[in-house]
Amino acid sequence: MKKNLFKSIYLSSAMLMLASCAESWLKPEPLSFYEPNITFSTVEGLEGALTRCRSDLLYYFLGTDGTAMSTELIFSDVAVSAISDLSGSQNFANDITPTSNNGWIGSNLSNAFWSSGVAGSSFANTVISRIPDIDMDQTVKNQMLSRAYFHRAWRYYHLIFQFGDVPLVTREITTPKLDFRSVKMEVVIEKMVKDLEFAAENLPLRDDWGKENKGTALMLLIKYYLAAGRFDKAIHAANTLINDCGYELMEEPFGTFENPYPNARPMTRNVLWDLHRPVNKSIAANKESIMTIISRYENPDSRVSTMFLYNFTPFWSMTDVNRGILTPSKLNAGMGRLAGTSAVMSQYPEYIDYRAVAGRGECFVRPTYFAEKSMWSDSNDLRHNSETGNWFEMEEFKYNNTSLVGTEDEKYFMKPIQKYADDGTLLCQDTIRCWYGYPYYKLWVDDVERNVSNGYTGVDYRGGPGDAYLYRLAEAYLLRAEAYYWAGDYAKAADDVNKIRKRAGCTQLFTAGELNGLDGLDIIMDERARELMYEEFRHVELVRVSFIKANKEGTYESPKSLADESSNSYWWHRITKYNNYYNKGIFTLHHDEYKIAKHNIFWPVTQSNIDPNLYGRINQNYGYAGYEKNEPPISSLTELEESGQ
């Protein structure tokens, strides 16, 4: 793939002039030889655009300077920013605006999601617009069109539940267009349902790893059916996906067993550990995997580091007086992150290289108490089990700072760390950033470049490349449970939730009676949090459910219905009930208070995406500056067609 050529595809869509993004991969480069009518006149040229759609999924999840998913997590019930040395990512009620820095992990990456969504849908529109003119087998043509439909629908699924009413662009735009208009969420949903129904009928049952298939289209279609209130259709699509496409939940260990640090932290083999090893995600033995995003160290063209072990793990090593863990004497820093080179190990044979075992741990994002503790009510749950090694608890660390040797604190060397001294003094000044448990089985990914066996001697270990799930079958069960819930079939909803719980080893199961009412919806979304932690775009899913609930209750008129002062969205319910940081009087060491407002359910459209649209109106969300300038959005597919978008 020629880098300049495919980056220049952006030039074919004027809407990209409205998108600004910090990631260098989104910046168009000067064009010397590019001619769309030549490039996209062949099957190979259009396949190149689809390849870019797939590769950009990596950046959608991972970004470039920090894990993009972090923004989705901190606008939800399961996580908050753990940054404690600067402002901007704690008080969203005041600090996130159309002109704030919305393209950096230190604040939020909302604008990066906008830009990435626009870019991905632009590539898809190129294929959709040009494929009728290509001479090829009709079956191949339908499949290629279906792949493009999926990628456009996937981007818009996230855009509408992040930004509400957004411009829906359904065709390649080859001339300057500065009159885009926002489109009602309901219209976007209607259009994407039609497209995905076509895709589900025309995509192959199976394809190469990383490529779209029937199951991929069905999974996204289920979500759109739910959003459209077509619950019977959602159940039917889920039944097809679960029963007729050849997928199965993995119930037993399989594939390659990785036990990376058997002496420092031995893993007991179990199905969940195997299921989440990158090496096992894209293999025939994995019957649960529906579509993966390919990212491998050995392939530079598909190599993007997860950085999970940098962004999501505790800041356990002492770098200043506020971070890390002191020895019980309170005299010395107890943790260090020297690479376990042969020289270090020969001098300190007991030393454990926690840099590699647990990651560098810069910790931009940490779990809430709910995600770390209270949602794990079943002691048998393998997903929260430290005995197998699946879950990492801080108490597993031992004081490994080699500087302790030869001092009066040498007696603590390689002894378990303590949170409190014997007199009750806290030994960790910043517990928000430095002390919490996490799902090791989800976050540990081998950082090949930073292994001492490859000659590395530095202090980093961030989490390397590894295949990731876009969709796996477990989510289909939870979506079907939700569809049954909305349809009032609580017994079947309970059965599907329990199916996932049984696989995790749980003995506490739910009854039909418990799935009724708001508590029943919470049970389903709790199970999503447990099963899909660090996999799902949590904020998007909570907003989708908020949209469905408001429509079902007859209170939805526009995105403002979920965001104004009188609203009580399901997202707000989860924030208020389950997030123990926002609006609870919690401050960081930098003295920033965690706050979030009802209007933050939708993110602001960054002003630089609005201003160049001189002859139309991209609406701003309620609660942000510029909302008063909004104009009526496009309200039907007919009106959309007439608009030329």
Side-chain angles (χ1 to χ4, degrees), residues 38 77 84 120 239 329:
I38 296 174
D77 51 351
S84 54
N239 286 340
S329 69

Side-chain angles (χ1 to χ4, degrees), residues 344-376:
V344 171
M345 297 309 299
S346 63
Q347 187 173 1
Y348 307 101
E350 296 178 271
Y351 179 77
I352 295 177
D353 183 358
Y354 282 122
R355 169 201 66 93
V357 173
R360 153 74 182 268
E362 186 69 19
C363 186
F364 285 107
V365 175
R366 65 150 294 141
T368 58
Y369 183 82
F370 164 71
E372 183 191 2
K373 301 283 189 183
S374 65
M375 75 178 183
W376 304 104

Side-chain angles (χ1 to χ4, degrees), residues 350-513:
E350 296 178 271
Y351 179 77
I352 295 177
D353 183 358
Y354 282 122
R355 169 201 66 93
V357 173
R360 153 74 182 268
E362 186 69 19
C363 186
F364 285 107
V365 175
R366 65 150 294 141
T368 58
Y369 183 82
F370 164 71
E372 183 191 2
K373 301 283 189 183
S374 65
M375 75 178 183
W376 304 104
S377 57
D378 193 318
S379 61
N380 297 303
D381 198 325
L382 275 173
R383 298 166 297 190
H384 194 255
N385 187 286
S386 56
E387 292 181 5
T388 62
N390 283 353
W391 190 270
F392 192 100
E393 296 285 7
M394 289 298 295
E395 288 78 7
E396 295 182 44
F397 279 118
K398 296 179 180 179
Y399 291 112
N400 73 334
N401 193 336
T402 57
S403 298
L404 299 177
V405 177
T407 72
E408 60 184 282
D409 274 355
E410 184 173 356
K411 60 180 176 291
Y412 298 119
F413 185 63
M414 300 316 301
K415 296 294 189 295
I417 66 170
Q418 296 178 208
K419 190 174 184 179
Y420 297 95
D422 294 340
D423 63 2
T425 302
L426 189 65
L427 297 173
C428 176
Q429 293 301 310
D430 188 356
T431 56
I432 291 176
R433 194 168 191 176
C434 305
W435 196 286
Y436 59 86
Y438 61 92
Y440 191 79
Y441 74 108
K442 289 282 187 77
L443 299 185
W444 192 87
V445 181
D446 189 12
D447 198 341
V448 179
E449 289 183 330
R450 294 177 175 85
N451 284 326
V452 294
S453 59
N454 288 329
Y456 185 78
T457 59
V459 300
D460 275 352
Y461 203 91
R462 300 184 173 200
D467 288 4
Y469 292 117
L470 183 71
Y471 291 136
R472 59 185 176 91
L473 191 64
E475 185 178 8
Y477 278 96
L478 295 173
L479 287 171
R480 189 171 69 176
E482 188 189 331
Y484 281 135
Y485 167 85
W486 294 119
D489 194 336
Y490 304 122
K492 288 183 178 178
D495 287 343
D496 278 342
V497 172
N498 289 337
K499 178 76 172 177
I500 301 304
R501 292 182 62 76
K502 288 175 183 176
R503 193 269 293 276
C506 297
T507 55
Q508 296 178 6
L509 305 178
F510 295 106
T511 66

Side-chain angles (χ1 to χ4, degrees), residues 34 63 75 118 147 164 167 225 239 250 278 287 302 312 366 371 384 451 489 538 575 627 629:
Y34 167 70
F75 279 88
V118 168
R147 297 181 196 281
Y225 276 148
N239 286 340
M250 299 306 294
K287 304 297 185 183
S302 68
F312 293 154
R366 65 150 294 141
H384 194 255
N451 284 326
D489 194 336
R538 182 66 176 179
I575 292 288
Y627 172 79
K629 299 178 183 178

